[in-house]
Amino acid sequence: MTSTVFAAPAPTARTASDFEAEVVVAALRAEADGVVGVDLALPGGAALPPWTPGAHIDVELPGGLTRQYSLCGEPADPSRWRLGVLREADGRGGSRWLADQLTVGTVLRVRGPRNNFPLHPAARYVLVAGGIGITPILPMIRAAEAAGADWVLHYGGRTRASMAFLDELAGYGDRVRIHPQDETGLLDLDAILGAPAADTLVYCCGPTGLLDAVSERCREWPAGSLHVERFTAVAVVPDGEETGFEVVCERSGLTVTVPPELSILEAVENAGVSVLSSCTEGICGTCETTVLDGEPDHRDCLLTDDEKAAGDTMLICVSRCRGARLVLDL
């Protein structure tokens, strides 16, 4: 097959979308052991906002929980958003509630979409998914296939029965390589990623161990080749003892002291400044804020190295200040 450069649509903005609405559960399906497929629609069948491969939405749950779920349906269909939800018995409760309590007709409040994981143009893609990390990869496959780009998917999971969307993926033939751990062992990342390839982008989503291993294998690849999305944050160890600092909220006309025990987000909210936020772990991008002056101490898992070096924005749920004062567009 002849490879072509994939002309991707403009990615959905990473900054918080203005769209927030109540949607209804239009359909539920068992996609695999412990994985539920959820279709969401607006009441009355109105069109949902457009999105691009890699996008996610925020779902508000009982008890004040907000969780992010990747959109894994068809971007060209504005009537429904599809999610894949893994029931995590040891999680914080959000996935258990969705898996156990949802019925067709349940009303949920959602916000988005937002894209922290956009598909960039390339002649070829190596896609690596672990477990429920297949969800953002599915629409990437459809987009790459439709554009005539060359691609291969390596999809790992504990067992074949636990791996969602296998029937859907079977239609792509040998471009899809299925690796159930109980049958074939762990993904052979040395074979998959051992030789850097020109004009190739690597996209990976899955558990932390897989992301770390893929990142290690891609150290010798050209800069910018690897794109990952994390479900959980990576702990960042401070350089020294935590100290307080001041944050000037330029639009609000307030100066807020951020003590060592509070995040910027907590401090400004305590002062009455309203900020959209969700994960509070530095992975979803909801609280991304423009920096007008000062040097951020970036502790998130979302911004690229170049974005952190530029210092134009920061995630105020986890990041702090390298100095005594920050001026933010709040």
Side-chain angles (χ1 to χ4, degrees):
M1 176 178 179
T2 302
S3 298
T4 61
V5 175
F6 172 43
T12 305
R14 185 169 66 201
T15 52
S17 167
D18 290 334
F19 180 80
E20 185 172 348
E22 289 187 340
V23 296
V24 296
V25 176
L28 293 168
R29 294 170 303 279
E31 300 289 2
D33 289 349
V35 179
V36 178
V38 182
D39 284 4
L40 303 175
L42 283 170
L48 289 158
W51 58 281
T52 52
H56 72 267
I57 60 171
D58 298 338
V59 180
E60 295 183 8
L61 303 173
L65 295 174
T66 300
R67 295 291 180 265
Q68 293 75 45
Y69 292 96
S70 297
L71 295 172
C72 60
E74 174 52 65
D77 180 5
S79 67
R80 293 194 176 193
W81 282 343
R82 182 175 71 163
L83 314 177
V85 179
L86 171 65
R87 188 187 189 281
E88 297 184 88
D90 299 326
R92 293 180 290 177
S95 67
R96 291 199 304 275
W97 187 89
L98 287 170
D100 298 344
Q101 302 299 322
L102 283 191
T103 60
V104 172
T106 298
V107 176
L108 296 170
R109 190 156 194 86
V110 300
R111 186 169 62 233
R114 182 179 302 108
N115 201 336
N116 303 332
F117 193 42
L119 187 66
H120 295 286
R124 183 173 184 269
Y125 300 97
V126 176
L127 309 170
V128 183
I132 200 61
I134 189 62
T135 50
I137 300 296
L138 280 176
M140 294 183 180
I141 289 173
R142 296 189 203 99
E145 181 77 1
D150 191 13
W151 62 271
V152 62
L153 167 68
H154 293 274
Y155 178 18
R158 296 188 311 279
T159 65
R160 194 175 294 269
S162 73
M163 299 171 70
F165 308 112
L166 291 185
D167 289 346
E168 187 173 325
L169 290 167
Y172 294 109
D174 62 5
R175 287 180 178 272
V176 174
R177 319 285 171 81
I178 303 300
H179 305 267
Q181 186 175 342
D182 64 338
E183 298 177 23
T184 63
L186 295 174
L187 287 167
D188 186 352
L189 296 179
D190 289 331
I192 295 168
L193 299 168
D199 301 322
T200 299
L201 295 182
V202 179
Y203 278 78
C204 179
C205 185
T208 298
L210 174 64
L211 298 181
D212 290 346
V214 167
S215 297
E216 182 62 31
R217 297 322 190 278
C218 287
R219 287 186 183 278
E220 301 304 318
W221 284 61
S225 296
L226 176 62
H227 300 265
V228 302
E229 182 166 62
R230 294 184 179 272
F231 293 142
T232 56
V234 176
V236 176
V237 179
D239 294 340
E241 185 178 350
E242 297 284 23
T243 59
F245 51 92
E246 285 189 340
V247 167
V248 178
C249 302
E250 184 74 11
R251 283 189 285 113
S252 302
L254 293 174
T255 297
V256 178
T257 298
V258 182
E261 68 274 12
L262 293 182
S263 68
I264 296 175
L265 176 64
E266 291 169 323
V268 299
E269 286 186 331
N270 289 347
V273 179
S274 178
V275 182
L276 276 178
S277 63
S278 183
C279 73
T280 67
E281 295 182 318
I283 57 175
C284 78
T286 307
C287 70
E288 186 174 356
T289 301
T290 299
V291 178
L292 302 176
D293 192 31
E295 183 181 1
D297 178 5
H298 295 288
R299 302 185 186 184
D300 64 274
C301 299
L302 177 62
L303 298 180
T304 66
D305 290 343
D306 287 344
E307 288 171 329
K308 290 178 180 179
D312 297 329
T313 68
M314 66 186 299
L315 272 58
I316 63 172
C317 64
V318 292
S319 297
R320 300 185 68 80
C321 176
R322 292 187 181 277
R325 183 174 176 269
L326 279 173
V327 181
L328 302 179
D329 185 24
L330 291 172

